[in-house]
Amino acid sequence: MERIGAVLIDIDGVLTVSWEPLPGAVDAVRRLRAADIPLVLVTNTTSRTRAGIAERLVGAGFPVGPDDILTAPAVTAAYLREHHPEARCLLINSGDVRNDLSGVTLVEEEDDEGAVPDVVVLGGAGAAFTYTALNRAFRHLQQGAGLVAMHRNLYWRTSGGLTLDTGAFLEGLERAAGTEAAVTGKPAGAFFAAALAHLGASPSETLMVGDDIESDVLAAQRHGITGVLVKTGKYLPETHAAADTAPDHVLDSFADVPDLVERLRH
């Protein structure tokens, strides 16, 4: 392993929960900045644009800007532009991320006039994931529409506890329609590749810090990135114990990351 010189950081459950900073997280990011460690925040969050996320994090004291953030919607837009150019896309998502979907033609269900969209795009679960919306998506898939999902996370941590996410609905749609979604956010290899390209870093010199042992940590390790699991957010001891591979490092929280980076740099 090369000396660690860059860090990928999940946001939800690692730096914040319900957008409130976790203890020590702000100071830890400031320490990485002071040490001139290149970093990018990598998130499957689909409720806010990169600019909106940056604004919220800056308000909480984090020294970051929109260019430091890579989101599943932004990577999804790049995927759609490359693999489905000029496609008519029906987006089901709880939150407005249209500004991060540049170059993508979005259609509204009520304006569809019975026409089948070329691609059904699933973002993050929430109030928009109604039975009506999901059943319409199912019927579009039956008629030949493609399926793209920004992620397949089963749940995430909020201030009210664990909450169901897209993966809980996506698997049902796939099985019912006899299709398989192209997943663009974590744990997709293209997502990690985009993050490394953003930093100009190689996998062997990069850490990935996350609270999701599968989508964040082990997925990164499969692509040659050093994985760091933190025991915050959606972390569950039973999920950790059941994993088929061990994380490279396990820490109590993100507050411990600067010390780990310092050790690995030398």
Side-chain angles (χ1 to χ4, degrees):
M1 183 181 71
E2 298 177 20
R3 293 181 180 179
I4 292 300
V7 185
L8 311 181
I9 308 166
D10 184 32
I11 299 175
D12 200 12
V14 175
L15 298 181
T16 67
V17 167
S18 294
W19 300 104
E20 292 298 319
L22 287 167
V26 171
D27 286 342
V29 175
R30 288 176 175 169
R31 285 181 61 189
L32 294 176
R33 288 292 200 203
D36 292 325
I37 304 295
L39 59 86
V40 63
L41 310 187
V42 290
T43 177
N44 280 348
T45 296
T46 57
S47 60
R48 298 172 184 264
T49 62
R50 294 166 64 233
I53 292 170
E55 181 179 9
R56 190 65 185 259
L57 292 177
V58 168
F62 289 99
V64 298
D67 289 342
D68 299 315
I69 299 168
L70 183 66
T71 66
V75 175
T76 300
Y79 176 87
L80 290 169
R81 290 193 300 267
E82 179 180 355
H83 296 278
H84 298 279
E86 301 181 5
R88 298 168 62 257
C89 300
L90 176 65
L91 174 66
I92 302 176
N93 180 62
S94 293
D96 187 2
V97 293
R98 292 169 184 266
N99 287 344
D100 279 353
L101 294 173
S102 59
V104 177
T105 300
L106 298 177
V107 298
E108 302 292 342
E109 189 67 53
E110 57 268 25
D111 297 334
D112 222 17
E113 298 181 355
V116 177
D118 300 305
V119 183
V120 172
V121 181
L122 295 188
F129 276 53
T130 64
Y131 173 81
T132 298
L134 292 170
N135 196 48
R136 284 175 177 166
F138 168 57
R139 289 176 175 171
H140 291 322
L141 297 175
Q142 286 182 302
Q143 297 177 72
L147 180 60
V148 173
M150 295 186 187
H151 60 78
R152 57 168 70 250
N153 294 353
L154 292 172
Y155 51 83
W156 82 98
R157 172 76 66 179
T158 71
S159 57
L162 294 178
T163 301
L164 282 178
D165 208 344
T166 302
F169 305 94
L170 175 59
E171 184 171 344
L173 269 181
E174 290 176 317
R175 292 185 63 185
T179 189
E180 184 174 350
V183 179
T184 52
K186 294 176 294 181
F191 189 95
F192 290 109
L196 292 173
H198 184 83
L199 290 175
S202 68
S204 59
E205 65 177 335
T206 304
L207 286 184
M208 171 67 215
V209 185
D211 63 328
D212 186 320
I213 190 169
E214 294 294 339
S215 293
D216 291 340
V217 181
L218 300 187
Q221 290 179 193
R222 286 192 289 270
H223 296 287
I225 300 168
T226 300
V228 181
L229 178 65
V230 291
K231 296 181 178 181
T232 54
K234 66 168 63 174
Y235 174 85
L236 294 172
E238 55 267 34
T239 305
H240 183 182
D244 57 7
T245 307
D248 293 319
H249 302 276
V250 180
L251 301 176
D252 286 336
S253 74
F254 190 78
D256 300 320
V257 169
D259 288 340
L260 174 64
V261 171
E262 183 64 22
R263 291 197 302 272
L264 295 179
R265 289 184 80 188
H266 300 292

